[in-house]
Amino acid sequence: MGRITLENVRKAFGDVEVIPGVDLTIEDGEFAVFVGPSGCGKSTLLRLIAGLEDVTSGRILIDGQDVTAAPPARRRLAMVFQSYALYPHMSVRKNIAFPLKMAKMPEAEQQRRVAKAARILNLDSYLDRRPGQLSGGQRQRVAIGRAIVREPEAFLFDEPLSNLDAALRVNMRVEISQLHNNLKTTMVYVTHDQVEAMTMADKIVVLRAGRVEQVGSPLALYNKPANKFVAGFIGSPNMNFIDGEAAARHGAHSIGVRPEHWRLSTTEGAFAGQVGVAEHLGSDTFLHVDLDGGAHVIARASGEFPVSHGDRIWLTPQDDRVYRFDKQGLAA
Amino acid sequence: MATAHQRTLARFMVAPSVVLLLLWMIVPLAMTLWFSFQRYNLLMPGMEEFIGLSNYRYFLTDPGFWTALTNTLLMVAGILLISVVGGVGLAMLIDQPIFGQGIVRLLVLAPFFVMPTVSALIWKNMFMNPENGLFASLARAVGAQPIDFLGQYPLLSIIVIVAWQWLPFATLILLTSLQSLDSEQVEAAEMDGASAWARFTHLTLPHMSRAITVVILIETIFLLSVFAEILVTTNGGPGYQSTNLTYLVYSQALLQFDVGGASAGGIVAVDPRQHRGALPDAPDRQDAGLRGRTWHAAFPIRANGSSPSSPGRRPC
Ligand SMILES: Nc1ncnc2c1ncn2[C@@H]1O[C@H](COP(=O)(O)OP(=O)(O)O)[C@@H](O)[C@H]1O
Ligand SMILES: [Mg+2]
């Protein structure tokens, strides 16, 4: 069981209020992702759950039990740090066994659990090496191994993939998702990368300046963003926003259209513009278009859409895919 | 240092200092070695001759030799123990975020900037003096008999004085090391259920082990030749109770004007310090002082006159 509940949790460092008040429930077995721009308080929120920071006010419950004042070790959570935080002078085996040793578990049971974790994470042949002799991806696995041997109520990950190269990041993303499928333990995962959030999460929590902007499944956030910030943050490339007269025609202060929701034509359409840069990915082409009104939008075209720099182009949003926002940026 | 050209250039650039350092070390060492096989007494000019190992036999069979050797080892071990254990403790203490941290750190480091003779004199006259020292006053205040530290426990007293001087050095090195300990590692250990003591033994100490080694190495080199503190406090006494090898060489040579014997003693006593060159960052101040001391030990007569030894370490 690992149901984590935050009740009006606030956190201030001195005079600076970093988390102005968060209410949130993460269900048992859920993969929750905190996502938001850098500096929005994701790590702070995670560290509050872990017990590495004290809350300024509010309560944190794990399985209904108030742990607000409990030290980290009592919360039965395991954390994987961005820097991996492996113990450099211990072998991989000792690193993974360290929490078990601290719990005074019998030696045989320790070895059994280490062996099991090593098997799951493909670390068998590295057990007697030091962390310094491992690659980034292997260190990441050791850090995860150290977390799973404790069989915690929940795992906390703080941007665990940000130190890996792009290819490895995709692999580890899949591995962590698989690990979640196998263990079915609650995971709370912090990232600034919306692709990680979309691909891994059961539930995404979008944060801005310490506030929860929206909570929901990846597709719910994609299809029904609550406000302009979430709409702009989720989806890649970002949603295009058009203000002014064109928006007024849709009865809104501002409208948003995702790059993949334009119909393109070389002869007619709702908005006319000139093709700037065309990014060819093979499967798709992303066209940067300067609209006649002055707005700059991105449109996704098929791989072989026949336009090039300087050509005229017409864009029409798909009718049911126009997002309307009022003056405050809330979805209308 | 990537290409052969760069390496050649680098060699040329460092050559002058290497040559100078070599001369600086090799010449005195060679001269000391040469004198140690000579009969060379300043009271008997013109009688110099090669006498083989006699000087060494004479020095090693001196009644004070074994006491001085034991004292030297006890002194080094005692001071190392105090400064390393105390240094770890102090470093951890002043690493805590406290009000006025900068001032506190400066104060802790202050003893390092006091000259050895001065600090020894302060300890002798202001703290340990059985008549009007601070400790005597304290003892009388609680109705106890004041202790004549330098008379009754001379070696221990000198160990305390020198340890007080070296504690800041150890603290500084260990504090630097402590500050480089990754805070996420500590937090990870905290989440792994490690108690404060377990975090200290499993994380902090192993992390500091290299710094501790450095402290032990550097201090050993300098502590083998403690001199000024003995000279201004106990003069090696009572008897040989606080005489170390360096001081033995000095006292023998000074009494007997025997350059040959002193050189032999110097080779015996000073030898470990010749490896100093391998250590890159011995503090300059101490280094200059040390060279002065070596000079004292091997050529005591000149040291009393116009010697190149540093002021403050000159026997007054
Ligand atoms: N220990 C601290 N003391 C003061 N301010 C902090 C501390 N930790 C974080 N902050 C501030 O809190 C804000 C949120 O930080 P953080 O949670 O690390 O952001 P994120 O992980 O989302 O990038 C930042 O503005 C940061 O400067
Ligand atoms: Mg962060």
Side-chain angles (χ1 to χ4, degrees):
Chain A
M1 284 289 284
R3 183 170 191 269
I4 301 171
T5 311
L6 308 186
E7 287 180 1
N8 196 20
V9 167
R10 278 183 59 247
K11 176 66 185 175
F13 291 108
D15 296 337
V16 187
E17 192 161 62
V18 174
I19 311 276
V22 166
D23 287 289
L24 185 67
T25 301
I26 297 160
E27 299 296 340
D28 180 38
E30 205 166 41
F31 197 123
V33 175
F34 294 170
V35 69
S38 188
C40 71
K42 311 178 294 287
S43 298
T44 306
L45 199 55
L46 196 72
R47 291 165 59 81
L48 287 171
I49 296 174
L52 296 172
E53 304 276 0
D54 294 323
V55 298
T56 306
S57 70
R59 296 204 309 157
I60 297 174
L61 308 164
I62 297 177
D63 291 334
Q65 196 186 336
D66 190 337
V67 296
T68 315
R74 292 273 176 71
R75 302 191 182 193
R76 289 160 310 173
L77 305 174
M79 183 148 167
V80 176
F81 291 84
Q82 185 172 359
S83 69
Y84 316 136
L86 300 178
Y87 311 126
H89 52 275
M90 295 183 201
S91 64
V92 168
R93 186 191 306 278
K94 287 200 171 146
N95 260 284
I96 297 179
F98 187 73
L100 308 178
K101 190 175 165 193
M102 289 300 115
K104 307 217 163 44
M105 189 175 278
E107 188 71 24
E109 174 68 6
Q110 286 185 27
Q111 289 311 324
R112 198 186 62 75
R113 290 210 191 181
V114 171
K116 188 174 158 209
R119 204 173 53 245
I120 294 175
L121 295 163
N122 270 328
L123 284 169
D124 293 300
S125 35
Y126 308 108
L127 278 177
D128 293 311
R129 293 206 197 165
R130 295 275 177 96
Q133 299 165 311
L134 301 178
S135 71
Q138 290 163 344
R139 282 182 217 183
Q140 182 65 71
R141 287 203 179 88
V142 177
I144 294 173
R146 192 174 62 184
I148 63 178
V149 284
R150 293 173 54 197
E151 300 179 355
E153 302 288 323
F155 293 97
L156 310 177
F157 294 90
D158 191 357
E159 311 223 12
L161 307 185
S162 57
N163 288 340
L164 303 180
D165 64 57
L168 205 50
R169 197 145 53 200
V170 175
N171 284 342
M172 284 307 293
R173 212 163 71 195
V174 175
E175 283 192 31
I176 293 177
S177 293
Q178 273 168 357
L179 192 68
H180 179 245
N181 289 337
N182 294 339
L183 298 177
K184 302 204 166 34
T185 310
T186 312
M187 291 190 177
V188 185
Y189 187 103
V190 161
T191 178
H192 63 268
D193 181 355
Q194 61 92 24
V195 177
E196 278 176 28
M198 292 296 282
T199 51
M200 300 170 86
D202 296 324
K203 175 194 269 178
I204 297 181
V205 179
V206 183
L207 292 166
R208 174 167 60 160
R211 278 173 215 284
V212 176
E213 293 285 318
Q214 191 173 2
V215 180
S217 71
L219 284 183
L221 263 56
Y222 179 84
N223 290 325
K224 286 201 171 0
N227 55 41
K228 232 172 139 175
F229 176 80
V230 176
F233 198 82
I234 301 290
S236 169
N238 295 346
M239 184 184 277
N240 304 295
F241 293 107
I242 300 168
D243 302 340
E245 197 192 323
R249 258 185 280 137
H250 285 88
H253 177 74
S254 171
I255 57 169
V257 182
R258 294 193 186 280
E260 53 271 38
H261 295 151
W262 292 111
R263 275 198 315 259
L264 305 179
S265 161
T266 50
T267 52
E268 53 170 18
F271 300 94
Q274 203 168 14
V275 177
V277 174
E279 294 174 312
H280 296 281
L281 302 184
S283 58
D284 298 316
T285 298
F286 290 109
L287 302 173
H288 293 244
V289 180
D290 293 309
L291 296 185
D292 289 347
H296 177 91
V297 300
I298 298 176
R300 187 182 76 180
S302 69
E304 280 122 56
F305 194 72
V307 290
S308 56
H309 183 83
D311 288 353
R312 295 288 292 167
I313 191 170
W314 281 264
L315 308 175
T316 313
Q318 295 175 18
D319 288 336
D320 53 342
R321 289 297 196 172
V322 178
Y323 298 91
R324 295 172 190 80
F325 302 99
D326 64 18
K327 241 193 173 86
Q328 281 75 42
L330 298 178
Chain B
M1 297 289 166
T3 66
H5 175 72
Q6 280 172 327
R7 274 194 295 273
T8 316
L9 187 66
R11 283 204 191 106
F12 269 109
M13 306 278 265
V14 298
S17 26
V18 169
V19 169
L20 202 70
L21 269 176
L22 264 181
L23 289 178
W24 188 255
M25 283 166 51
I26 293 290
V27 170
L29 182 63
M31 283 173 71
T32 313
L33 260 176
W34 170 249
F35 289 144
S36 72
F37 295 111
Q38 300 278 317
R39 172 159 59 212
Y40 183 9
N41 194 309
L42 294 175
L43 294 179
M44 297 179 279
M47 301 272 292
E48 293 84 11
E49 62 170 336
F50 184 80
I51 52 165
L53 291 171
S54 297
N55 281 329
Y56 288 93
R57 201 176 311 125
Y58 179 75
F59 185 77
L60 293 179
T61 54
D62 185 282
F65 175 74
W66 290 106
T67 321
L69 187 64
T70 319
N71 284 346
T72 307
L73 296 180
L74 278 178
M75 219 179 260
V76 171
I79 297 166
L80 278 180
L81 190 73
I82 296 176
S83 63
V84 168
V85 174
V88 170
L90 267 180
M92 293 187 58
L93 211 60
I94 62 179
D95 192 37
Q96 306 293 321
I98 44 165
F99 178 75
Q101 196 175 44
I103 302 276
V104 170
R105 287 185 185 174
L106 202 67
L107 286 179
V108 169
L109 296 180
F112 198 46
F113 298 100
V114 179
M115 277 186 291
T117 35
V118 174
S119 79
L121 280 173
I122 290 174
W123 274 90
K124 179 187 178 185
N125 296 326
M126 295 180 70
F127 292 127
M128 291 175 166
N129 189 300
E131 300 298 324
N132 41 29
L134 186 66
F135 296 149
S137 310
L138 286 178
R140 273 195 291 271
V142 297
Q145 183 70 28
I147 302 167
D148 178 10
F149 286 98
L150 287 164
Q152 286 176 275
Y153 312 103
L155 191 62
L156 185 67
S157 302
I158 288 174
I159 287 178
V160 169
I161 294 173
V162 181
W164 180 79
Q165 285 169 25
W166 281 97
L167 197 54
F169 172 77
T171 307
L172 186 66
I173 303 272
L174 297 174
L175 177 65
T176 318
S177 156
L178 199 58
Q179 284 172 335
S180 70
L181 176 58
D182 180 15
S183 63
E184 286 201 341
Q185 278 175 32
V186 180
E187 286 173 347
E190 225 174 299
M191 296 213 60
D192 284 345
S195 64
W197 177 250
R199 291 200 295 275
F200 177 71
T201 54
H202 285 96
L203 221 60
T204 315
L205 267 191
H207 175 78
M208 288 206 287
S209 64
R210 185 165 292 177
I212 292 176
T213 315
V214 167
V215 167
I216 290 178
L217 277 179
I218 293 182
E219 286 198 9
T220 305
I221 287 164
F222 290 100
L223 294 177
L224 280 170
S225 59
V226 167
F227 178 77
E229 294 83 352
I230 301 176
L231 185 78
V232 302
T233 52
T234 63
N235 266 314
Y240 283 112
Q241 280 187 47
S242 60
T243 297
N244 67 354
L245 282 177
T246 317
Y247 197 84
L248 184 69
V249 172
Y250 161 77
S251 63
Q252 296 239 319
L254 183 74
L255 288 178
Q256 291 148 26
F257 297 91
D258 181 1
V259 175
S263 298
I267 293 295
V268 173
V270 171
D271 181 55
R273 284 186 287 146
Q274 301 302 339
H275 302 292
R276 177 181 66 225
L279 283 161
D281 47 7
D284 260 343
R285 181 189 75 109
Q286 292 289 341
D287 206 22
L290 178 78
R291 225 160 255 138
R293 272 187 247 176
T294 317
W295 199 259
H296 279 312
F299 303 98
I301 309 302
R302 288 194 53 196
N304 276 334
S306 57
S307 82
S309 70
S310 63
R313 295 186 191 262
R314 189 174 303 164
C316 15

Coordinates of all heavy atoms in Angstrom, one line a residue, chain A residues 95-121:
Chain A
N95 N 26.5 -0.9 -1.9 CA 25.5 0.2 -2.1 C 24.1 -0.3 -2.0 O 23.3 0.3 -1.3 CB 25.8 0.8 -3.5 CG 26.6 2.1 -3.4 OD1 26.1 3.1 -3.0 ND2 27.9 2.0 -3.7
I96 N 23.8 -1.4 -2.8 CA 22.5 -1.8 -2.9 C 22.0 -2.4 -1.5 O 20.9 -2.3 -1.1 CB 22.3 -2.9 -4.0 CG1 22.6 -2.2 -5.3 CG2 20.9 -3.5 -4.0 CD1 22.5 -3.2 -6.5
A97 N 23.0 -3.0 -0.8 CA 22.7 -3.7 0.5 C 22.6 -2.7 1.6 O 22.1 -3.0 2.7 CB 23.7 -4.8 0.8
F98 N 23.1 -1.5 1.4 CA 23.2 -0.5 2.5 C 21.9 -0.3 3.3 O 21.9 -0.4 4.5 CB 23.7 0.8 2.0 CG 24.1 1.8 3.0 CD1 25.2 1.6 3.8 CD2 23.2 2.9 3.3 CE1 25.5 2.6 4.8 CE2 23.5 3.8 4.3 CZ 24.6 3.6 5.1
P99 N 20.8 0.0 2.6 CA 19.5 0.2 3.4 C 19.2 -1.1 4.2 O 18.6 -0.9 5.3 CB 18.5 0.5 2.4 CG 19.1 0.3 1.1 CD 20.5 0.2 1.2
L100 N 19.5 -2.3 3.7 CA 19.1 -3.5 4.4 C 20.0 -3.6 5.6 O 19.6 -4.1 6.7 CB 19.3 -4.7 3.4 CG 18.6 -4.6 2.1 CD1 18.8 -5.8 1.2 CD2 17.1 -4.4 2.4
K101 N 21.3 -3.3 5.4 CA 22.3 -3.4 6.5 C 21.8 -2.4 7.6 O 21.9 -2.8 8.8 CB 23.7 -3.0 6.0 CG 24.8 -3.3 6.9 CD 26.1 -3.0 6.3 CE 27.2 -2.9 7.3 NZ 28.4 -2.3 6.8
M102 N 21.4 -1.2 7.2 CA 20.9 -0.3 8.2 C 19.7 -0.8 9.0 O 19.5 -0.5 10.1 CB 20.6 1.1 7.6 CG 21.9 1.8 7.1 SD 23.0 2.2 8.4 CE 24.4 1.2 8.0
A103 N 18.9 -1.6 8.3 CA 17.7 -2.1 8.9 C 18.0 -3.4 9.7 O 17.1 -4.1 10.2 CB 16.6 -2.4 7.8
K104 N 19.3 -3.7 9.7 CA 19.8 -4.9 10.5 C 19.2 -6.2 10.0 O 18.8 -7.1 10.8 CB 19.6 -4.7 12.0 CG 20.2 -3.4 12.5 CD 20.7 -3.6 13.9 CE 21.7 -2.5 14.3 NZ 21.2 -1.1 14.0
M105 N 19.0 -6.3 8.7 CA 18.4 -7.5 8.1 C 19.5 -8.6 8.1 O 20.6 -8.3 8.0 CB 18.0 -7.2 6.7 CG 17.2 -8.3 6.0 SD 16.6 -7.6 4.4 CE 15.2 -6.7 4.9
P106 N 19.0 -9.9 8.3 CA 20.0 -11.0 8.3 C 20.8 -11.0 7.0 O 20.3 -10.7 5.9 CB 19.2 -12.3 8.5 CG 17.9 -11.8 9.0 CD 17.7 -10.4 8.6
E107 N 22.1 -11.4 7.1 CA 23.0 -11.4 6.0 C 22.4 -12.2 4.8 O 22.5 -11.7 3.6 CB 24.4 -11.9 6.4 CG 25.5 -11.8 5.3 CD 25.9 -10.4 5.2 OE1 25.8 -9.6 6.1 OE2 26.4 -10.1 4.1
A108 N 21.9 -13.3 5.0 CA 21.4 -14.2 3.9 C 20.3 -13.5 3.2 O 20.2 -13.5 1.9 CB 21.0 -15.5 4.5
E109 N 19.4 -12.9 3.9 CA 18.2 -12.2 3.3 C 18.7 -11.0 2.5 O 18.3 -10.8 1.4 CB 17.3 -11.8 4.4 CG 16.1 -10.9 3.9 CD 15.1 -11.7 3.0 OE1 15.3 -12.9 2.9 OE2 14.2 -11.0 2.5
Q110 N 19.7 -10.3 3.0 CA 20.3 -9.2 2.3 C 20.8 -9.7 0.9 O 20.5 -9.1 -0.1 CB 21.5 -8.6 3.1 CG 21.2 -7.8 4.2 CD 22.4 -7.1 4.9 OE1 23.4 -6.9 4.2 NE2 22.4 -6.8 6.1
Q111 N 21.6 -10.8 1.0 CA 22.2 -11.3 -0.3 C 21.1 -11.7 -1.3 O 21.3 -11.5 -2.5 CB 23.2 -12.4 0.0 CG 24.5 -12.0 0.7 CD 25.1 -10.8 0.0 OE1 25.1 -10.7 -1.2 NE2 25.7 -9.9 0.8
R112 N 20.1 -12.3 -0.7 CA 19.0 -12.8 -1.6 C 18.4 -11.6 -2.3 O 18.2 -11.6 -3.5 CB 18.0 -13.5 -0.7 CG 17.0 -14.4 -1.6 CD 15.9 -15.0 -0.7 NE 15.1 -14.0 -0.1 CZ 14.2 -13.3 -0.8 NH1 14.0 -13.5 -2.1 NH2 13.4 -12.3 -0.2
R113 N 18.1 -10.5 -1.5 CA 17.4 -9.4 -2.1 C 18.4 -8.6 -3.1 O 17.9 -8.2 -4.1 CB 17.0 -8.4 -1.0 CG 15.9 -8.9 -0.2 CD 15.1 -7.8 0.3 NE 14.1 -8.2 1.3 CZ 13.3 -7.3 1.9 NH1 13.3 -6.0 1.6 NH2 12.4 -7.7 2.8
V114 N 19.6 -8.5 -2.8 CA 20.6 -7.9 -3.7 C 20.6 -8.6 -5.0 O 20.6 -8.1 -6.1 CB 22.0 -7.8 -3.0 CG1 23.0 -7.3 -4.1 CG2 21.9 -6.8 -1.9
A115 N 20.7 -10.0 -4.9 CA 20.8 -10.8 -6.1 C 19.5 -10.6 -6.9 O 19.6 -10.5 -8.2 CB 21.0 -12.3 -5.7
K116 N 18.4 -10.5 -6.3 CA 17.1 -10.4 -7.0 C 17.1 -9.0 -7.7 O 16.8 -8.9 -8.9 CB 16.0 -10.5 -6.0 CG 14.6 -10.5 -6.7 CD 13.5 -10.7 -5.7 CE 12.2 -10.3 -6.2 NZ 11.3 -9.8 -5.1
A117 N 17.5 -8.0 -7.0 CA 17.5 -6.6 -7.6 C 18.5 -6.6 -8.8 O 18.2 -6.0 -9.9 CB 17.9 -5.6 -6.6
A118 N 19.7 -7.2 -8.6 CA 20.7 -7.2 -9.6 C 20.2 -7.9 -10.9 O 20.4 -7.5 -12.0 CB 21.9 -7.9 -9.1
R119 N 19.4 -9.0 -10.7 CA 18.8 -9.7 -11.8 C 17.8 -8.9 -12.6 O 17.9 -8.7 -13.8 CB 18.2 -11.0 -11.3 CG 18.1 -12.1 -12.4 CD 17.6 -13.4 -11.8 NE 16.4 -13.3 -11.1 CZ 16.3 -13.5 -9.8 NH1 17.3 -13.8 -9.1 NH2 15.1 -13.4 -9.2
I120 N 16.9 -8.2 -11.8 CA 15.9 -7.4 -12.4 C 16.6 -6.3 -13.3 O 16.1 -5.9 -14.3 CB 15.0 -6.8 -11.4 CG1 14.2 -7.9 -10.7 CG2 14.1 -5.7 -12.0 CD1 13.3 -7.3 -9.5
L121 N 17.7 -5.7 -12.7 CA 18.3 -4.5 -13.3 C 19.5 -4.8 -14.2 O 20.2 -3.9 -14.6 CB 18.6 -3.5 -12.2 CG 17.5 -3.0 -11.5 CD1 17.9 -2.3 -10.2 CD2 16.7 -1.9 -12.3

